[in-house]
Amino acid sequence: MIANNSKIEYHSLLFSFYIVLALMVCSLIFNELTESNIIEVDAGSYVISAIIGLVTIYISRLKEKPKDENHPLGFAGYVPVLNLIRSFMVILICIKAIGESLGSIFNGPEPTAHGIMFLYALVTLFFNLVAYIVINSRGKKIGSALLKTDALDWKTDIFFNLSIVLAVAFSYCLQFTAYKAYADYVDPVFCIIFSIAMAYYPIVLFSENVKLLSVSSIDKELQAKIIQAFTEKITHIDKYAPVFTVLQVGGVLWVNIELFVHEDDEPIALDYMVIRTKGEEILNEITPDNKISFLFNRVK
C-alpha cells in the first residue's frame, strides 16, 4: 500500500511538473507581447515553480530511502525543508510584484493590452484548474504532504488568474467612462492587491514548517494517544516500567521508549522484537513519517 502511494505521489508530481513547464513557456511568450506587471510576475513565478518542481520530484523519491548512519531519522525531514523554500519563494515573488507595481504607478504605467492579457488569463486558468483538480484529489486520497503543498500552489495560481481576468475587464470598461485616464493604472494596482492576498497562505505555510523543523514536543493529546495504544496493544511492556518521550524532529514523529530491565530478568530479546514490531505498526497508523528508538536501563 505504501509503495503504491509513493508511486501515485511520484507520477502526480511529474504531471504537475509538465503542467508548470507548459505554463512557463506560455507566460514567457505572452510576457514578450505585453508590458503587463501581472504577466511579468506570473512568468517569474512559473520559472521558479519549474525549478522547485524538479527538487520536489527528487525529494519525493529520496524520502522513501531507508535511514543510514548519516540520516538516522531517514529522509522524511526534507519535506518541511522543501515546503519552507517553496513558501518563501512565493513570498519573495509577492514582494517583488508589489515593488515593481508601485514603481509603475509613480513613473506612469504602460498601455494595457487588453486582448493579449485576457487570452493569457483564460489559457493559464484552464491549465491551473486541471492541475489543481488532479493534484488535490490525489493528495487527499493518499494523504501526501508534498501533494497537499502542490495543490495549495495551484489553488493560489487560480486566484491569481482570476485577478487578471478582473483586472482586464475593469480596465477595459474604464475606457468607456469619464475615468479612462486611469484605465492603465488598473494593472499595477490589482497586482499589488492580489499579491498581498496571494502571500497569505504561503506565510501560514512558512510558519508551520519553521515549527516542524525545530525539535519540539507534540501536543499532549496525541502523546497520550500513543502511550495508551502502546500499553493496551503491547501488554507485557508494563513489566519494564516504560517511560515514553515523544518528539517532532524535522517533521518526523520520534518515539523513544526507556525500559528498565532487572538483573534477574530473563533475556528480553524476544520481548524487544515484539515491542518494536507492534510499536512500528501503531505509529504507522498515525503517520508514515516516524521513528522508534529504545533505551535500556539495568536495575537491581
Side-chain angles (χ1 to χ4, degrees):
M1 181 65 179
I2 295 178
N4 186 50
N5 286 349
S6 178
K7 187 176 181 180
I8 292 174
E9 180 182 77
Y10 176 71
H11 287 295
S12 297
L13 291 173
L14 272 180
F15 172 79
S16 182
F17 177 67
Y18 293 144
I19 295 291
V20 168
L21 284 181
L23 285 167
M24 182 184 72
V25 173
C26 177
S27 62
L28 289 174
I29 292 174
F30 275 88
N31 187 51
E32 293 299 318
L33 301 177
T34 177
E35 296 296 327
S36 168
N37 293 77
I38 294 179
I39 293 181
E40 182 181 356
V41 172
D42 221 22
S45 69
Y46 285 129
V47 171
I48 293 174
S49 294
I51 297 172
I52 295 297
L54 283 174
V55 180
T56 303
I57 292 171
Y58 171 72
I59 289 180
S60 174
R61 306 294 285 180
L62 181 65
K63 74 186 187 70
E64 300 300 327
K65 292 177 61 177
K67 63 182 180 180
D68 56 34
E69 292 183 359
N70 295 325
H71 301 83
L73 298 178
F75 296 84
Y78 281 96
V79 175
V81 174
L82 175 63
N83 290 340
L84 190 69
I85 295 173
R86 295 176 75 170
S87 56
F88 182 65
M89 293 305 294
V90 173
I91 294 170
L92 285 182
I93 291 171
C94 293
I95 294 174
K96 180 177 182 292
I98 293 171
E100 292 186 351
S101 296
L102 288 173
S104 294
I105 293 173
F106 291 127
N107 297 324
E110 295 290 337
T112 303
H114 297 97
I116 294 175
M117 288 186 65
F118 191 72
L119 178 60
Y120 171 79
L122 291 180
V123 172
T124 53
L125 180 60
F126 171 76
F127 279 112
N128 284 323
L129 280 171
V130 171
Y132 173 72
I133 292 171
V134 173
I135 300 300
N136 186 56
S137 174
R138 293 181 181 180
K140 289 182 177 180
K141 181 179 179 181
I142 65 175
S144 167
L146 285 177
L147 294 186
K148 178 183 177 182
T149 303
D150 204 38
L152 177 60
D153 286 344
W154 287 116
K155 185 177 181 180
T156 302
D157 285 344
I158 289 173
F159 283 112
F160 201 63
N161 284 139
L162 291 175
S163 75
I164 298 176
V165 174
L166 290 173
V168 175
F170 185 58
S171 176
Y172 181 77
C173 291
L174 279 180
Q175 292 183 115
F176 305 100
T177 69
Y179 303 98
K180 62 180 181 179
Y182 300 102
D184 293 332
Y185 285 88
V186 173
D187 182 289
V189 170
F190 264 62
C191 188
I192 293 172
I193 294 173
F194 284 94
S195 292
I196 294 173
M198 189 174 71
Y200 173 74
Y201 286 110
I203 290 173
V204 173
L205 188 65
F206 183 87
S207 176
E208 290 178 351
N209 284 280
V210 166
K211 294 177 182 178
L212 281 177
L213 288 171
S214 63
V215 178
S216 60
S217 60
I218 63 174
D219 62 276
K220 294 182 179 180
E221 184 178 344
L222 180 56
Q223 179 169 285
K225 178 182 177 182
I226 292 172
I227 295 174
Q228 182 180 359
F230 270 77
T231 54
E232 289 181 353
K233 297 182 179 181
I234 313 175
T235 54
H236 58 281
I237 196 175
D238 286 339
K239 68 180 181 181
Y240 298 111
V243 175
F244 294 86
T245 302
V246 185
L247 299 172
Q248 286 276 10
V249 184
V252 178
L253 178 64
W254 191 3
V255 178
N256 182 74
I257 307 175
E258 186 175 3
L259 301 177
F260 294 87
V261 184
H262 292 274
E263 291 182 350
D264 55 350
D265 280 347
E266 298 178 1
I268 68 165
L270 183 59
D271 283 349
Y272 165 74
M273 290 303 298
V274 171
I275 295 172
R276 185 176 191 87
T277 301
K278 286 188 175 293
E280 290 175 346
E281 292 176 358
I282 292 170
L283 295 180
N284 284 333
E285 292 176 359
I286 299 173
T287 172
D289 298 329
N290 66 77
K291 301 296 173 185
I292 185 171
S293 60
F294 293 88
L295 175 64
F296 298 96
N297 290 326
R298 287 285 178 179
V299 295
K300 293 183 179 180

mmCIF file of all heavy atoms in Angstrom, residues 109-153:
data_model
loop_
_atom_site.group_PDB
_atom_site.id
_atom_site.type_symbol
_atom_site.label_atom_id
_atom_site.label_comp_id
_atom_site.label_asym_id
_atom_site.label_seq_id
_atom_site.Cartn_x
_atom_site.Cartn_y
_atom_site.Cartn_z
ATOM 1 N N PRO A 109 2.200 54.019 -15.864
ATOM 2 C CA PRO A 109 2.107 52.645 -16.391
ATOM 3 C C PRO A 109 2.122 52.600 -17.916
ATOM 4 O O PRO A 109 1.815 53.581 -18.588
ATOM 5 C CB PRO A 109 0.756 52.175 -15.849
ATOM 6 C CG PRO A 109 -0.063 53.426 -15.749
ATOM 7 C CD PRO A 109 0.910 54.494 -15.341
ATOM 8 N N GLU A 110 2.500 51.432 -18.438
ATOM 9 C CA GLU A 110 2.457 51.200 -19.879
ATOM 10 C C GLU A 110 1.000 50.969 -20.304
ATOM 11 O O GLU A 110 0.170 50.546 -19.489
ATOM 12 C CB GLU A 110 3.282 49.960 -20.224
ATOM 13 C CG GLU A 110 4.770 50.100 -19.950
ATOM 14 C CD GLU A 110 5.454 51.051 -20.916
ATOM 15 O OE1 GLU A 110 4.905 51.246 -22.027
ATOM 16 O OE2 GLU A 110 6.515 51.602 -20.564
ATOM 17 N N PRO A 111 0.669 51.248 -21.577
ATOM 18 C CA PRO A 111 -0.700 50.983 -22.066
ATOM 19 C C PRO A 111 -1.070 49.511 -21.898
ATOM 20 O O PRO A 111 -0.241 48.633 -22.123
ATOM 21 C CB PRO A 111 -0.627 51.366 -23.545
ATOM 22 C CG PRO A 111 0.518 52.325 -23.627
ATOM 23 C CD PRO A 111 1.508 51.872 -22.607
ATOM 24 N N THR A 112 -2.279 49.252 -21.486
ATOM 25 C CA THR A 112 -2.736 47.878 -21.232
ATOM 26 C C THR A 112 -3.190 47.210 -22.524
ATOM 27 O O THR A 112 -4.050 47.745 -23.244
ATOM 28 C CB THR A 112 -3.902 47.872 -20.230
ATOM 29 O OG1 THR A 112 -3.483 48.516 -19.026
ATOM 30 C CG2 THR A 112 -4.331 46.450 -19.917
ATOM 31 N N ALA A 113 -2.607 46.043 -22.822
ATOM 32 C CA ALA A 113 -3.012 45.250 -23.999
ATOM 33 C C ALA A 113 -4.126 44.306 -23.554
ATOM 34 O O ALA A 113 -3.871 43.155 -23.167
ATOM 35 C CB ALA A 113 -1.824 44.482 -24.557
ATOM 36 N N HIS A 114 -5.350 44.766 -23.598
ATOM 37 C CA HIS A 114 -6.480 44.025 -23.038
ATOM 38 C C HIS A 114 -6.682 42.659 -23.689
ATOM 39 O O HIS A 114 -6.919 41.662 -23.008
ATOM 40 C CB HIS A 114 -7.759 44.858 -23.154
ATOM 41 C CG HIS A 114 -7.716 46.121 -22.372
ATOM 42 N ND1 HIS A 114 -7.375 47.333 -22.940
ATOM 43 C CD2 HIS A 114 -7.947 46.381 -21.057
ATOM 44 C CE1 HIS A 114 -7.406 48.276 -22.023
ATOM 45 N NE2 HIS A 114 -7.755 47.737 -20.865
ATOM 46 N N GLY A 115 -6.609 42.604 -25.015
ATOM 47 C CA GLY A 115 -6.844 41.344 -25.712
ATOM 48 C C GLY A 115 -5.823 40.290 -25.353
ATOM 49 O O GLY A 115 -6.174 39.130 -25.080
ATOM 50 N N ILE A 116 -4.554 40.662 -25.345
ATOM 51 C CA ILE A 116 -3.477 39.716 -25.024
ATOM 52 C C ILE A 116 -3.598 39.234 -23.579
ATOM 53 O O ILE A 116 -3.457 38.036 -23.291
ATOM 54 C CB ILE A 116 -2.100 40.373 -25.255
ATOM 55 C CG1 ILE A 116 -1.899 40.667 -26.743
ATOM 56 C CG2 ILE A 116 -0.982 39.467 -24.751
ATOM 57 C CD1 ILE A 116 -0.622 41.428 -27.045
ATOM 58 N N MET A 117 -3.863 40.160 -22.670
ATOM 59 C CA MET A 117 -3.969 39.796 -21.253
ATOM 60 C C MET A 117 -5.168 38.880 -20.997
ATOM 61 O O MET A 117 -5.078 37.918 -20.220
ATOM 62 C CB MET A 117 -4.080 41.050 -20.390
ATOM 63 C CG MET A 117 -2.795 41.845 -20.284
ATOM 64 S SD MET A 117 -2.937 43.217 -19.117
ATOM 65 C CE MET A 117 -3.187 42.318 -17.577
ATOM 66 N N PHE A 118 -6.279 39.171 -21.640
ATOM 67 C CA PHE A 118 -7.472 38.350 -21.430
ATOM 68 C C PHE A 118 -7.260 36.934 -21.963
ATOM 69 O O PHE A 118 -7.643 35.946 -21.318
ATOM 70 C CB PHE A 118 -8.677 38.993 -22.115
ATOM 71 C CG PHE A 118 -9.989 38.363 -21.731
ATOM 72 C CD1 PHE A 118 -10.526 38.557 -20.470
ATOM 73 C CD2 PHE A 118 -10.682 37.578 -22.637
ATOM 74 C CE1 PHE A 118 -11.730 37.964 -20.106
ATOM 75 C CE2 PHE A 118 -11.889 36.981 -22.284
ATOM 76 C CZ PHE A 118 -12.414 37.189 -21.023
ATOM 77 N N LEU A 119 -6.628 36.817 -23.130
ATOM 78 C CA LEU A 119 -6.330 35.499 -23.698
ATOM 79 C C LEU A 119 -5.375 34.731 -22.792
ATOM 80 O O LEU A 119 -5.562 33.529 -22.542
ATOM 81 C CB LEU A 119 -5.718 35.664 -25.094
ATOM 82 C CG LEU A 119 -5.307 34.361 -25.805
ATOM 83 C CD1 LEU A 119 -6.519 33.454 -25.997
ATOM 84 C CD2 LEU A 119 -4.634 34.670 -27.139
ATOM 85 N N TYR A 120 -4.364 35.429 -22.275
ATOM 86 C CA TYR A 120 -3.401 34.791 -21.365
ATOM 87 C C TYR A 120 -4.096 34.267 -20.108
ATOM 88 O O TYR A 120 -3.834 33.149 -19.658
ATOM 89 C CB TYR A 120 -2.314 35.790 -20.975
ATOM 90 C CG TYR A 120 -1.396 35.303 -19.892
ATOM 91 C CD1 TYR A 120 -0.365 34.418 -20.178
ATOM 92 C CD2 TYR A 120 -1.567 35.707 -18.560
ATOM 93 C CE1 TYR A 120 0.478 33.956 -19.182
ATOM 94 C CE2 TYR A 120 -0.725 35.250 -17.568
ATOM 95 C CZ TYR A 120 0.291 34.374 -17.877
ATOM 96 O OH TYR A 120 1.108 33.907 -16.886
ATOM 97 N N ALA A 121 -4.977 35.085 -19.564
ATOM 98 C CA ALA A 121 -5.680 34.697 -18.335
ATOM 99 C C ALA A 121 -6.521 33.451 -18.550
ATOM 100 O O ALA A 121 -6.546 32.550 -17.705
ATOM 101 C CB ALA A 121 -6.561 35.849 -17.849
ATOM 102 N N LEU A 122 -7.203 33.354 -19.667
ATOM 103 C CA LEU A 122 -8.061 32.202 -19.936
ATOM 104 C C LEU A 122 -7.235 30.924 -20.153
ATOM 105 O O LEU A 122 -7.588 29.852 -19.646
ATOM 106 C CB LEU A 122 -8.938 32.464 -21.165
ATOM 107 C CG LEU A 122 -10.028 33.533 -21.007
ATOM 108 C CD1 LEU A 122 -10.809 33.672 -22.299
ATOM 109 C CD2 LEU A 122 -10.962 33.170 -19.852
ATOM 110 N N VAL A 123 -6.149 31.034 -20.893
ATOM 111 C CA VAL A 123 -5.299 29.864 -21.168
ATOM 112 C C VAL A 123 -4.685 29.329 -19.879
ATOM 113 O O VAL A 123 -4.735 28.128 -19.590
ATOM 114 C CB VAL A 123 -4.189 30.223 -22.182
ATOM 115 C CG1 VAL A 123 -3.188 29.068 -22.305
ATOM 116 C CG2 VAL A 123 -4.796 30.536 -23.544
ATOM 117 N N THR A 124 -4.091 30.216 -19.087
ATOM 118 C CA THR A 124 -3.443 29.775 -17.847
ATOM 119 C C THR A 124 -4.460 29.301 -16.805
ATOM 120 O O THR A 124 -4.178 28.391 -16.030
ATOM 121 C CB THR A 124 -2.586 30.914 -17.251
ATOM 122 O OG1 THR A 124 -3.392 32.095 -17.116
ATOM 123 C CG2 THR A 124 -1.398 31.209 -18.145
ATOM 124 N N LEU A 125 -5.632 29.912 -16.804
ATOM 125 C CA LEU A 125 -6.677 29.488 -15.864
ATOM 126 C C LEU A 125 -7.101 28.051 -16.146
ATOM 127 O O LEU A 125 -7.304 27.263 -15.214
ATOM 128 C CB LEU A 125 -7.886 30.416 -15.956
ATOM 129 C CG LEU A 125 -9.067 30.104 -15.026
ATOM 130 C CD1 LEU A 125 -8.631 30.175 -13.563
ATOM 131 C CD2 LEU A 125 -10.219 31.080 -15.279
ATOM 132 N N PHE A 126 -7.206 27.708 -17.410
ATOM 133 C CA PHE A 126 -7.578 26.337 -17.782
ATOM 134 C C PHE A 126 -6.550 25.338 -17.268
ATOM 135 O O PHE A 126 -6.887 24.331 -16.638
ATOM 136 C CB PHE A 126 -7.700 26.226 -19.310
ATOM 137 C CG PHE A 126 -7.863 24.810 -19.800
ATOM 138 C CD1 PHE A 126 -9.085 24.148 -19.672
ATOM 139 C CD2 PHE A 126 -6.792 24.127 -20.353
ATOM 140 C CE1 PHE A 126 -9.231 22.841 -20.111
ATOM 141 C CE2 PHE A 126 -6.929 22.818 -20.804
ATOM 142 C CZ PHE A 126 -8.160 22.172 -20.673
ATOM 143 N N PHE A 127 -5.262 25.600 -17.522
ATOM 144 C CA PHE A 127 -4.201 24.692 -17.074
ATOM 145 C C PHE A 127 -4.175 24.584 -15.549
ATOM 146 O O PHE A 127 -4.001 23.492 -14.988
ATOM 147 C CB PHE A 127 -2.839 25.186 -17.577
ATOM 148 C CG PHE A 127 -2.541 24.820 -18.997
ATOM 149 C CD1 PHE A 127 -2.471 25.801 -19.978
ATOM 150 C CD2 PHE A 127 -2.323 23.503 -19.370
ATOM 151 C CE1 PHE A 127 -2.199 25.474 -21.299
ATOM 152 C CE2 PHE A 127 -2.048 23.162 -20.683
ATOM 153 C CZ PHE A 127 -1.982 24.147 -21.655
ATOM 154 N N ASN A 128 -4.350 25.702 -14.866
ATOM 155 C CA ASN A 128 -4.315 25.703 -13.402
ATOM 156 C C ASN A 128 -5.479 24.922 -12.798
ATOM 157 O O ASN A 128 -5.313 24.206 -11.799
ATOM 158 C CB ASN A 128 -4.339 27.140 -12.869
ATOM 159 C CG ASN A 128 -3.008 27.835 -13.028
ATOM 160 O OD1 ASN A 128 -1.961 27.230 -12.870
ATOM 161 N ND2 ASN A 128 -3.029 29.109 -13.370
ATOM 162 N N LEU A 129 -6.650 25.050 -13.380
ATOM 163 C CA LEU A 129 -7.814 24.309 -12.887
ATOM 164 C C LEU A 129 -7.619 22.809 -13.039
ATOM 165 O O LEU A 129 -7.905 22.036 -12.115
ATOM 166 C CB LEU A 129 -9.074 24.753 -13.647
ATOM 167 C CG LEU A 129 -9.722 26.062 -13.198
ATOM 168 C CD1 LEU A 129 -10.812 26.484 -14.175
ATOM 169 C CD2 LEU A 129 -10.302 25.924 -11.790
ATOM 170 N N VAL A 130 -7.130 22.382 -14.200
ATOM 171 C CA VAL A 130 -6.887 20.953 -14.439
ATOM 172 C C VAL A 130 -5.870 20.415 -13.437
ATOM 173 O O VAL A 130 -6.062 19.361 -12.821
ATOM 174 C CB VAL A 130 -6.394 20.716 -15.885
ATOM 175 C CG1 VAL A 130 -5.936 19.268 -16.066
ATOM 176 C CG2 VAL A 130 -7.501 21.041 -16.885
ATOM 177 N N ALA A 131 -4.766 21.155 -13.256
ATOM 178 C CA ALA A 131 -3.713 20.714 -12.336
ATOM 179 C C ALA A 131 -4.221 20.640 -10.901
ATOM 180 O O ALA A 131 -3.946 19.672 -10.180
ATOM 181 C CB ALA A 131 -2.518 21.659 -12.428
ATOM 182 N N TYR A 132 -4.967 21.661 -10.468
ATOM 183 C CA TYR A 132 -5.466 21.678 -9.089
ATOM 184 C C TYR A 132 -6.422 20.517 -8.819
ATOM 185 O O TYR A 132 -6.305 19.840 -7.790
ATOM 186 C CB TYR A 132 -6.179 22.996 -8.797
ATOM 187 C CG TYR A 132 -6.869 23.004 -7.448
ATOM 188 C CD1 TYR A 132 -6.126 23.064 -6.268
ATOM 189 C CD2 TYR A 132 -8.256 22.920 -7.355
ATOM 190 C CE1 TYR A 132 -6.740 23.046 -5.032
ATOM 191 C CE2 TYR A 132 -8.880 22.908 -6.125
ATOM 192 C CZ TYR A 132 -8.127 22.968 -4.962
ATOM 193 O OH TYR A 132 -8.753 22.943 -3.737
ATOM 194 N N ILE A 133 -7.341 20.261 -9.731
ATOM 195 C CA ILE A 133 -8.325 19.183 -9.550
ATOM 196 C C ILE A 133 -7.615 17.835 -9.417
ATOM 197 O O ILE A 133 -7.916 17.031 -8.528
ATOM 198 C CB ILE A 133 -9.327 19.158 -10.715
ATOM 199 C CG1 ILE A 133 -10.224 20.396 -10.672
ATOM 200 C CG2 ILE A 133 -10.189 17.891 -10.658
ATOM 201 C CD1 ILE A 133 -11.099 20.565 -11.886
ATOM 202 N N VAL A 134 -6.646 17.582 -10.296
ATOM 203 C CA VAL A 134 -5.929 16.300 -10.292
ATOM 204 C C VAL A 134 -5.067 16.155 -9.039
ATOM 205 O O VAL A 134 -5.135 15.141 -8.326
ATOM 206 C CB VAL A 134 -5.060 16.162 -11.556
ATOM 207 C CG1 VAL A 134 -4.185 14.907 -11.464
ATOM 208 C CG2 VAL A 134 -5.940 16.087 -12.796
ATOM 209 N N ILE A 135 -4.244 17.158 -8.742
ATOM 210 C CA ILE A 135 -3.305 17.078 -7.618
ATOM 211 C C ILE A 135 -4.035 17.061 -6.276
ATOM 212 O O ILE A 135 -3.688 16.288 -5.376
ATOM 213 C CB ILE A 135 -2.299 18.247 -7.657
ATOM 214 C CG1 ILE A 135 -1.485 18.210 -8.956
ATOM 215 C CG2 ILE A 135 -1.364 18.183 -6.448
ATOM 216 C CD1 ILE A 135 -0.683 16.939 -9.151
ATOM 217 N N ASN A 136 -5.040 17.898 -6.128
ATOM 218 C CA ASN A 136 -5.788 17.958 -4.869
ATOM 219 C C ASN A 136 -6.497 16.628 -4.596
ATOM 220 O O ASN A 136 -6.508 16.139 -3.461
ATOM 221 C CB ASN A 136 -6.806 19.090 -4.919
ATOM 222 C CG ASN A 136 -7.505 19.309 -3.599
ATOM 223 O OD1 ASN A 136 -6.875 19.536 -2.566
ATOM 224 N ND2 ASN A 136 -8.819 19.249 -3.607
ATOM 225 N N SER A 137 -7.086 16.036 -5.630
ATOM 226 C CA SER A 137 -7.791 14.761 -5.479
ATOM 227 C C SER A 137 -6.835 13.648 -5.061
ATOM 228 O O SER A 137 -7.121 12.879 -4.133
ATOM 229 C CB SER A 137 -8.480 14.402 -6.800
ATOM 230 O OG SER A 137 -9.062 13.121 -6.731
ATOM 231 N N ARG A 138 -5.693 13.572 -5.728
ATOM 232 C CA ARG A 138 -4.722 12.522 -5.409
ATOM 233 C C ARG A 138 -4.055 12.764 -4.052
ATOM 234 O O ARG A 138 -3.749 11.810 -3.333
ATOM 235 C CB ARG A 138 -3.665 12.449 -6.507
ATOM 236 C CG ARG A 138 -4.215 11.964 -7.848
ATOM 237 C CD ARG A 138 -3.124 11.885 -8.902
ATOM 238 N NE ARG A 138 -3.664 11.439 -10.189
ATOM 239 C CZ ARG A 138 -2.920 11.293 -11.286
ATOM 240 N NH1 ARG A 138 -1.629 11.581 -11.257
ATOM 241 N NH2 ARG A 138 -3.480 10.885 -12.396
ATOM 242 N N GLY A 139 -3.834 14.027 -3.718
ATOM 243 C CA GLY A 139 -3.231 14.349 -2.422
ATOM 244 C C GLY A 139 -4.105 13.917 -1.272
ATOM 245 O O GLY A 139 -3.630 13.378 -0.264
ATOM 246 N N LYS A 140 -5.422 14.156 -1.377
ATOM 247 C CA LYS A 140 -6.352 13.724 -0.337
ATOM 248 C C LYS A 140 -6.454 12.209 -0.274
ATOM 249 O O LYS A 140 -6.608 11.633 0.807
ATOM 250 C CB LYS A 140 -7.731 14.331 -0.597
ATOM 251 C CG LYS A 140 -7.813 15.828 -0.339
ATOM 252 C CD LYS A 140 -9.221 16.350 -0.572
ATOM 253 C CE LYS A 140 -9.324 17.832 -0.250
ATOM 254 N NZ LYS A 140 -10.701 18.354 -0.484
ATOM 255 N N LYS A 141 -6.372 11.575 -1.422
ATOM 256 C CA LYS A 141 -6.509 10.123 -1.497
ATOM 257 C C LYS A 141 -5.399 9.397 -0.753
ATOM 258 O O LYS A 141 -5.644 8.418 -0.047
ATOM 259 C CB LYS A 141 -6.534 9.682 -2.955
ATOM 260 C CG LYS A 141 -6.696 8.181 -3.159
ATOM 261 C CD LYS A 141 -6.735 7.838 -4.646
ATOM 262 C CE LYS A 141 -6.877 6.331 -4.841
ATOM 263 N NZ LYS A 141 -6.890 5.973 -6.287
ATOM 264 N N ILE A 142 -4.155 9.874 -0.896
ATOM 265 C CA ILE A 142 -3.020 9.170 -0.288
ATOM 266 C C ILE A 142 -2.447 9.913 0.920
ATOM 267 O O ILE A 142 -1.510 9.436 1.561
ATOM 268 C CB ILE A 142 -1.897 8.925 -1.319
ATOM 269 C CG1 ILE A 142 -1.307 10.258 -1.798
ATOM 270 C CG2 ILE A 142 -2.425 8.119 -2.495
ATOM 271 C CD1 ILE A 142 -0.114 10.085 -2.736
ATOM 272 N N GLY A 143 -3.005 11.086 1.246
ATOM 273 C CA GLY A 143 -2.535 11.842 2.411
ATOM 274 C C GLY A 143 -1.101 12.322 2.278
ATOM 275 O O GLY A 143 -0.324 12.262 3.242
ATOM 276 N N SER A 144 -0.729 12.798 1.095
ATOM 277 C CA SER A 144 0.641 13.230 0.834
ATOM 278 C C SER A 144 0.845 14.698 1.204
ATOM 279 O O SER A 144 0.115 15.574 0.736
ATOM 280 C CB SER A 144 0.974 13.018 -0.653
ATOM 281 O OG SER A 144 2.163 13.685 -1.007
ATOM 282 N N ALA A 145 1.874 14.964 2.019
ATOM 283 C CA ALA A 145 2.200 16.346 2.394
ATOM 284 C C ALA A 145 2.725 17.123 1.196
ATOM 285 O O ALA A 145 2.451 18.317 1.040
ATOM 286 C CB ALA A 145 3.237 16.354 3.512
ATOM 287 N N LEU A 146 3.483 16.448 0.322
ATOM 288 C CA LEU A 146 4.013 17.113 -0.862
ATOM 289 C C LEU A 146 2.898 17.530 -1.814
ATOM 290 O O LEU A 146 2.892 18.643 -2.336
ATOM 291 C CB LEU A 146 4.993 16.185 -1.588
ATOM 292 C CG LEU A 146 6.382 16.010 -0.958
ATOM 293 C CD1 LEU A 146 7.190 15.004 -1.752
ATOM 294 C CD2 LEU A 146 7.110 17.339 -0.885
ATOM 295 N N LEU A 147 1.939 16.622 -2.046
ATOM 296 C CA LEU A 147 0.838 16.938 -2.953
ATOM 297 C C LEU A 147 -0.087 17.994 -2.344
ATOM 298 O O LEU A 147 -0.676 18.812 -3.068
ATOM 299 C CB LEU A 147 0.040 15.675 -3.291
ATOM 300 C CG LEU A 147 0.783 14.614 -4.104
ATOM 301 C CD1 LEU A 147 -0.159 13.481 -4.492
ATOM 302 C CD2 LEU A 147 1.422 15.217 -5.350
ATOM 303 N N LYS A 148 -0.207 17.972 -1.018
ATOM 304 C CA LYS A 148 -1.028 18.975 -0.346
ATOM 305 C C LYS A 148 -0.466 20.375 -0.599
ATOM 306 O O LYS A 148 -1.216 21.316 -0.916
ATOM 307 C CB LYS A 148 -1.078 18.698 1.155
ATOM 308 C CG LYS A 148 -1.869 19.734 1.947
ATOM 309 C CD LYS A 148 -1.811 19.427 3.436
ATOM 310 C CE LYS A 148 -2.528 20.504 4.239
ATOM 311 N NZ LYS A 148 -2.433 20.248 5.695
ATOM 312 N N THR A 149 0.855 20.506 -0.481
ATOM 313 C CA THR A 149 1.502 21.789 -0.725
ATOM 314 C C THR A 149 1.399 22.176 -2.193
ATOM 315 O O THR A 149 1.169 23.343 -2.535
ATOM 316 C CB THR A 149 2.985 21.729 -0.309
ATOM 317 O OG1 THR A 149 3.074 21.341 1.066
ATOM 318 C CG2 THR A 149 3.653 23.084 -0.490
ATOM 319 N N ASP A 150 1.568 21.188 -3.073
ATOM 320 C CA ASP A 150 1.486 21.444 -4.509
ATOM 321 C C ASP A 150 0.081 21.915 -4.893
ATOM 322 O O ASP A 150 -0.080 22.839 -5.702
ATOM 323 C CB ASP A 150 1.846 20.175 -5.282
ATOM 324 C CG ASP A 150 2.336 20.485 -6.687
ATOM 325 O OD1 ASP A 150 3.057 21.478 -6.860
ATOM 326 O OD2 ASP A 150 1.976 19.738 -7.618
ATOM 327 N N ALA A 151 -0.941 21.279 -4.313
ATOM 328 C CA ALA A 151 -2.325 21.680 -4.590
ATOM 329 C C ALA A 151 -2.586 23.108 -4.113
ATOM 330 O O ALA A 151 -3.310 23.874 -4.765
ATOM 331 C CB ALA A 151 -3.298 20.710 -3.913
ATOM 332 N N LEU A 152 -1.980 23.477 -2.978
ATOM 333 C CA LEU A 152 -2.119 24.839 -2.463
ATOM 334 C C LEU A 152 -1.524 25.849 -3.437
ATOM 335 O O LEU A 152 -2.088 26.930 -3.665
ATOM 336 C CB LEU A 152 -1.440 24.959 -1.101
ATOM 337 C CG LEU A 152 -1.435 26.355 -0.458
ATOM 338 C CD1 LEU A 152 -2.857 26.844 -0.228
ATOM 339 C CD2 LEU A 152 -0.655 26.334 0.856
ATOM 340 N N ASP A 153 -0.391 25.488 -4.046
ATOM 341 C CA ASP A 153 0.227 26.366 -5.043
ATOM 342 C C ASP A 153 -0.686 26.566 -6.253
ATOM 343 O O ASP A 153 -0.833 27.679 -6.757
ATOM 344 C CB ASP A 153 1.561 25.768 -5.504
ATOM 345 C CG ASP A 153 2.645 25.900 -4.453
ATOM 346 O OD1 ASP A 153 2.460 26.701 -3.516
ATOM 347 O OD2 ASP A 153 3.666 25.207 -4.556
#
